[in-house]
Amino acid sequence: MTLIKSISGIRGTIGGATNDNLTPIDAVKFAAAYGTWLKSYAGKDKLKVVIGRDARLSGEMIQNLVVSTLVGLGIDVIDLGLSTTPTVEIAVPLEKADGGIILTASHNPKQWNALKLLNEKGEFLDAKQGAIILELAEKEDFDFAEVDDLGSISKNDSYIDIHIDEVLNLPLVDKETIRKAGFKVVVDGVNSTGGIAIPALLKELGVEVVELYCDPTGHFPHNPEPLKEHLKDICELVVKEKADFGIVVDPDVDRLAFISNDGEMFGEEYTLVACADYVLEKTKGNTVSNLSSSRALRDITQKHGGTYEAAAVGEVNVVTKMKANNAIIGGEGNGGIIYPESHYGRDSLVGTALFLMLMAEKGGTVAELRASYPSYFMSKKKIQLTPELDVDALLVAMHDKYKNEEVSTIDGVKIDFAENWVHLRKSNTEPIIRIYTEAKSQQEADALADRIIDEIKAIAGI
């Protein structure tokens, strides 16, 4: 299972056999399906699509294939080159484009790549639209343009700077306030495009920057998922440099994690909590995160007089619920900040600026800030899937086992106990079951996760 087709796009490993991996043929087929759908959806003859990529080793190859396929369909392409997911998202409406494609496998290791698909608002497609594209790709019924009607390619490498300007222009971001605070920050850009964008933003805000792995070569120096076990180097460097804190992003810069001044993880879950704390202090309103996110956001929202609601996992689901509930900030507990004042997409540049404003106004250290929030601890584990496992049956069995508890099935199975919770779901991006737990101590969260894993294994007979 190294080629994963879902409503949110296509993701796979480079090399190998067609239809089993993300080969050039699969990239072309899926790009053609998106272009074909877009022509029907937009209902006009001449279309424009924005494309950008992270720094993965396969990025240029996949981009050339995708761009050429769209040109072959008669679609004009604006090529941003090395970019970030949120940068492409803001570029689509600014360019009055009909859609966008980001070539990135987000937090997956270097052998993976993917096509993330956007609509004319620079937002991810919904489930119905994604299903149509999957069907078109399966049928391979494409109608390419005649030679006089081929699309054109225009390059624009200024969009990271434009994105930074957009962040600086947000009403709740004040450059002078941040500059006066005199911050020193270490940045781990995992040798992808965050190494371009985050230091550039910080320097514009008058922050002293210490760069770690900020050369966008695509050779990731550690597992690119911003989890504690992968971040020893930056944790040590923050202490050594006597920095105020550290910033870690994933390869496409939509996930944001902080390292406290003492070299400890601030906690990916608390990225959204901190940014929401700042925004809610200034603007009364509601919040949304997904079912796998910390209860701490609910607590902070209620403290500020707002209402919190949980959505199914997946950015498009969070955005849909945010729009329905008029949420002024939301996102995902994996460090994804969605701030509608900017745009409806996870954005580490926006999150960084909001966090800097919070710290500049509150004073004190990042460790003290973390200690001021409700204390929850999360365990994030997974079970590798094999083809013979019936995952849906496993989830039904776990639901039935705990039917007397508060159980949600809008996305996998979430069991809310009085003092803790567990959320079980199939991943959309990897062949695994994710097991997320949260409790009042790390030991309790880990123990709950291990207990649930043992129960799943017993039911599955593995």
Side-chain angles (χ1 to χ4, degrees), residues 34 37-38 41 49-50 85 88-90 92 98-102 116-125 315:
Y34 171 72
W37 167 79
L38 195 62
Y41 171 73
V49 170
V50 176
T85 287
V88 177
E89 289 171 348
I90 68 154
V92 170
D98 302 286
I101 302 178
I102 307 134
K116 289 185 177 182
L117 310 176
L118 305 175
N119 63 18
E120 78 285 0
K121 297 176 185 173
E123 298 169 17
F124 287 111
L125 307 188
E315 185 170 325

Side-chain angles (χ1 to χ4, degrees), residues 395-396 398-399 407-409 411-415 422-425:
L395 294 178
V396 168
M398 291 301 290
H399 171 271
V407 181
S408 167
T409 56
D411 182 12
V413 176
K414 183 174 185 182
I415 308 157
V422 58
H423 187 199
L424 312 171
R425 61 182 296 274

Side-chain angles (χ1 to χ4, degrees), residues 394-409 413-417 420 422 424 447-448 450-456 459:
L394 285 176
L395 294 178
V396 168
M398 291 301 290
H399 171 271
D400 292 347
K401 183 178 173 71
Y402 289 101
K403 62 187 176 188
N404 294 327
E405 303 290 344
E406 185 183 332
V407 181
S408 167
T409 56
V413 176
K414 183 174 185 182
I415 308 157
D416 266 296
F417 303 104
N420 49 46
V422 58
L424 312 171
L448 176 59
D450 290 339
R451 189 190 95 204
I452 295 293
I453 288 170
D454 287 343
E455 290 174 6
I456 291 171
I459 291 167

Side-chain angles (χ1 to χ4, degrees), residues 159-390:
Y159 257 96
I160 286 178
D161 292 333
I162 294 169
H163 188 177
I164 290 169
D165 288 341
E166 292 280 310
V167 174
L168 297 178
N169 287 332
L170 289 170
L172 292 190
V173 176
D174 182 66
K175 186 174 176 177
E176 195 57 25
T177 299
I178 294 170
R179 188 191 64 76
K180 281 180 180 172
F183 292 118
K184 180 180 183 180
V185 175
V186 180
V187 178
D188 178 351
V190 73
N191 285 344
S192 189
T193 49
I196 302 169
I198 299 296
L201 170 67
L202 293 174
K203 288 167 188 174
E204 279 291 321
L205 290 166
V207 175
E208 182 184 346
V209 181
V210 179
E211 296 186 7
L212 174 69
Y213 308 136
C214 285
D215 187 14
T217 61
H219 289 285
F220 303 150
H222 55 76
N223 184 306
E225 189 164 13
L227 303 177
K228 181 178 181 178
E229 57 267 31
H230 308 146
L231 301 175
K232 181 172 176 285
D233 291 352
I234 188 171
C235 290
E236 291 175 352
L237 193 57
V238 166
V239 174
K240 181 183 173 187
E241 289 284 344
K242 298 184 172 58
D244 292 288
F245 60 97
I247 293 174
V248 183
V249 291
D250 65 340
D252 70 324
V253 203
D254 63 359
R255 286 176 65 172
L256 174 64
F258 297 119
I259 311 298
S260 295
N261 53 292
D262 56 4
E264 294 297 319
M265 294 291 293
F266 186 74
E268 256 194 316
E269 292 291 328
Y270 284 81
T271 301
L272 177 54
V273 173
C275 291
D277 188 21
Y278 173 69
V279 171
L280 292 167
E281 183 72 41
K282 306 288 184 184
T283 322
K284 298 304 176 192
N286 305 325
T287 65
V288 169
S289 65
N290 67 36
L291 284 166
S292 287
S293 300
S294 175
R295 283 180 179 175
L297 179 63
R298 177 201 65 184
D299 297 351
I300 288 294
T301 305
Q302 291 172 351
K303 183 189 96 171
H304 287 291
T307 301
Y308 164 80
E309 293 202 43
V313 173
E315 185 170 325
V316 68
N317 298 317
V318 174
V319 166
T320 299
K321 191 166 276 287
M322 285 180 70
K323 289 177 178 178
N325 298 340
N326 296 314
I328 59 169
I329 190 167
E332 299 187 286
N334 59 13
I337 305 298
I338 302 173
Y339 185 46
E341 184 73 27
S342 174
H343 65 115
Y344 277 107
R346 294 182 300 173
D347 191 329
S348 296
L349 280 77
V350 168
T352 294
L354 295 176
F355 187 79
L356 284 164
M357 285 299 298
L358 175 70
M359 288 305 303
E361 292 194 354
K362 269 190 184 285
T365 68
V366 171
E368 288 165 349
L369 176 70
R370 175 65 179 81
S372 74
Y373 290 133
S375 192
Y376 295 103
F377 296 83
M378 192 170 282
S379 175
K380 298 182 179 182
K381 301 196 176 187
K382 51 195 174 187
I383 297 177
Q384 199 72 31
L385 300 181
T386 55
E388 61 271 12
L389 275 182
D390 185 341

Side-chain angles (χ1 to χ4, degrees), residues 137-159:
E138 201 66 37
K139 287 181 179 174
E140 295 187 41
D141 185 16
F142 310 128
D143 184 17
F144 289 96
E146 301 288 336
V147 69
D148 290 328
D149 300 320
L150 295 174
S152 64
I153 303 169
S154 57
K155 295 183 183 293
N156 188 336
D157 61 3
S158 65
Y159 257 96

